[in-house]
Amino acid sequence: MAHLQSLSNDSWFHSIAFIPRRGCKYIGFCACLAFILLSLTWLRDIDKPIDKQTSTASSPPPQVPFKEFAFSSSDPESTLEDAGSIPNNSTVAFPPLPPPDDEEYVSLCLAIRDQPGDLNEFLAHYYYHHGIRRFYVMDDGSDPPLSYTPNFGVPPFAVPRSAVTFTYITRVPDRPQPFQHIIYADYCIKNFGERHTWMGFVDSDEFLEMRRETTLVDWLHQWENNDTVGALSVNWITHNSGGQLKRPQSDTRKGFGRCVVDLPKSNNAGDENSHVKSFAKTALFDGVNSVHYMRTADGSVSVGEKGDACGIKRPPTHDMWALHHYSVKSREQFLEKQQRGSPNNHHAAGEFWDRIEGADDYECPELAAYVP
Ligand SMILES: *[C@@H]1O[C@H](CO)[C@@H](O)[C@H](O)[C@H]1NC(C)=O
Ligand SMILES: *[C@@H]1O[C@H](CO)[C@@H](O)[C@H](O)[C@H]1NC(C)=O
Ligand SMILES: *[C@@H]1O[C@H](CO)[C@@H](O)[C@H](O)[C@H]1NC(C)=O
């Protein structure tokens, strides 16, 4: 106690605070001190850009990403988000960031187990590139629980913990199946649905791309008042392994840049891309038909990007948006995925690997350029 007290009495702050009382002879000293402090502050400001790891983007990066696009940059949060690097140390987000969905107009519901690395990239992608500000992470019995992961996203592209709501679901042997449907309906919609106009149901290996300048939030707004539409469906673009046996050094979006061609009528892997995932209007949600599409109420239907009614599948088109599905990744990761299984007790079959790897493919580098 005594020690603490004497420390605080003699502290530099204490001395400075009392200087004015000591009269005119200290005015010169005060002026001098003020000058030194100002100089120090100025020097610190000069240092700042040097701390960052690129030399090219040293002017305040916030304006840069917005200059060629119509996105509003008035939001102070989005200006902060633009400086930084994942994973090639670029300090400028690419593509330009949409405004954050601070009203939580749309949220994402995700069932996941034991994939903290995947969750990291998933959260950063949707937080920064789609403005998502509410994630419901339904942790399907991870060990350790995913909520123990200290940080998501690499600063300054960190994902605030406040944007993520974790629910831990203990695995029990005889739980009802298909359990992922229960997660969607009873955990996500029932507990949180009414807080949002839309809820998207995607997996941690699915990354959304908006292919025009329309943002996800604007796109959903366009369908909000059409009561025929209970949910919007987005087609997969299925990525293959690109011949990689081992997990790549880079993240998933940079690591796998080849995709299976669309072949809607065929029975081979091209048919993969006919599958959709959905964003449902929570007010019209009436249950889960499959992980791909929801049952919608009051005579409403699920529609694809052309306004066409659809179910699990529709002839693949990717004009407005696309859901990049990294369904196999490298051979090593595919075998891990088989081990892990899905919440529906579904285990990816070896036949699945052969089908995806055997299909015609093409280069699809769109998401590889994304920062973060
Ligand atoms: C990015 O930064 C990391 C850590 O500071 C460094 O090890 C790496 O060499 C840098 N990479 C590039 C491409 O500059
Ligand atoms: C609502 O969406 C349906 C399905 O795409 C479409 O047929 C209908 O014309 C839309 N209604 C309005 C008012 O836009
Ligand atoms: C870093 O990312 C930016 C933006 O995606 C890209 O244009 C650039 O080529 C990348 N640089 C390297 C060294 O990968």
Side-chain angles (χ1 to χ4, degrees):
M1 262 309 210
H3 176 67
L4 271 182
Q5 220 163 15
S6 83
L7 243 189
S8 80
N9 277 341
D10 293 344
S11 75
W12 62 272
F13 179 79
H14 188 83
S15 322
I16 289 173
F18 280 80
I19 279 169
R21 285 222 238 137
R22 301 191 182 172
C24 295
K25 65 176 174 175
Y26 286 111
I27 287 177
F29 175 70
C30 287
C32 210
L33 190 69
F35 176 76
I36 290 170
L37 283 175
L38 274 174
S39 310
L40 280 176
T41 317
W42 179 72
L43 276 175
R44 236 178 37 162
D45 284 346
I46 289 194
D47 271 350
K48 269 180 192 159
I50 299 169
D51 288 339
K52 306 233 171 92
Q53 284 159 348
T54 81
S55 47
T56 47
S58 55
S59 59
Q63 288 84 6
V64 178
F66 291 97
K67 71 181 172 201
E68 19 176 305
F69 279 71
F71 296 133
S72 144
S73 63
S74 59
D75 185 287
E77 196 185 345
S78 59
T79 47
L80 276 178
E81 289 162 0
D82 298 337
S85 59
I86 288 182
N88 72 358
N89 303 348
S90 170
T91 56
V92 180
F94 179 85
L97 303 183
D101 175 22
D102 287 330
E103 293 171 2
E104 301 185 13
Y105 179 68
V106 51
S107 61
L108 293 187
C109 169
L110 171 75
I112 180 172
R113 179 189 192 195
D114 289 333
Q115 300 149 270
D118 293 350
L119 183 58
N120 192 37
E121 184 177 355
F122 177 93
L123 293 176
H125 178 81
Y126 284 96
Y127 187 91
Y128 287 102
H129 297 298
H130 299 294
I132 300 283
R133 290 297 181 267
R134 181 56 50 203
F135 299 91
Y136 297 108
V137 175
M138 298 298 157
D139 186 343
D140 188 24
S142 298
D143 180 17
L146 290 165
S147 60
Y148 289 11
T149 309
N151 301 299
F152 292 104
V154 177
F157 289 122
V159 175
R161 296 297 280 225
S162 55
V164 190
T165 304
F166 286 98
T167 300
Y168 190 80
I169 304 168
T170 307
R171 284 204 159 211
V172 293
D174 50 358
R175 60 186 187 174
Q177 288 295 337
F179 195 68
Q180 198 158 348
H181 297 195
I182 292 169
I183 291 180
Y184 286 175
D186 292 345
Y187 285 82
C188 285
I189 289 282
K190 198 179 280 177
N191 291 333
F192 307 110
E194 63 185 22
R195 302 179 190 199
H196 313 278
T197 305
W198 299 85
M199 192 177 276
F201 300 91
V202 291
D203 289 334
S204 62
D205 57 2
E206 294 171 336
F207 292 84
L208 187 69
E209 179 196 6
M210 299 306 294
R211 302 195 127 188
R212 310 229 174 149
E213 286 185 30
T214 309
T215 65
L216 171 63
V217 169
D218 287 345
W219 173 235
L220 296 177
H221 268 292
Q222 289 178 27
W223 298 92
E224 180 182 341
N225 296 321
N226 185 332
D227 295 334
T228 322
V229 176
L232 271 184
S233 302
V234 55
N235 278 103
W236 271 346
I237 289 182
T238 303
H239 290 240
N240 64 22
S241 76
Q244 296 173 93
L245 299 179
K246 295 280 169 203
R247 176 187 299 271
Q249 294 288 316
S250 61
D251 66 26
T252 295
R253 291 163 304 164
K254 294 208 188 309
F256 302 99
R258 293 195 71 82
C259 294
V260 164
V261 296
D262 291 340
L263 290 171
K265 296 245 161 62
S266 78
N267 243 347
N268 79 6
D271 188 45
E272 276 303 292
N273 295 345
S274 305
H275 289 89
V276 298
K277 283 298 187 81
S278 57
F279 286 78
K281 284 182 184 166
T282 59
L284 293 175
F285 180 91
D286 191 38
V288 181
N289 284 320
S290 83
V291 296
H292 300 278
Y293 87 117
M294 308 300 140
R295 197 159 60 243
T296 57
D298 301 340
S300 66
V301 294
S302 289
V303 301
E305 64 179 11
K306 312 289 187 200
D308 50 301
C310 68
I312 290 182
K313 296 180 179 183
R314 63 186 286 279
T317 60
H318 319 282
D319 296 336
M320 179 58 77
W321 60 347
L323 190 63
H324 290 262
H325 186 205
Y326 300 87
S327 58
V328 295
K329 301 187 184 173
S330 64
R331 182 70 188 166
E332 176 183 24
Q333 289 161 293
F334 178 75
L335 295 177
E336 284 169 16
K337 181 178 175 176
Q338 280 188 308
Q339 283 295 315
R340 207 165 48 232
S342 79
N344 282 357
N345 281 349
H346 172 81
H347 289 262
E351 178 270 336
F352 181 75
W353 170 273
D354 295 338
R355 196 154 56 87
I356 300 298
E357 294 301 297
D360 290 343
D361 64 351
Y362 64 100
E363 239 176 83
C364 50
E366 296 88 356
L367 296 191
Y370 274 40
V371 179

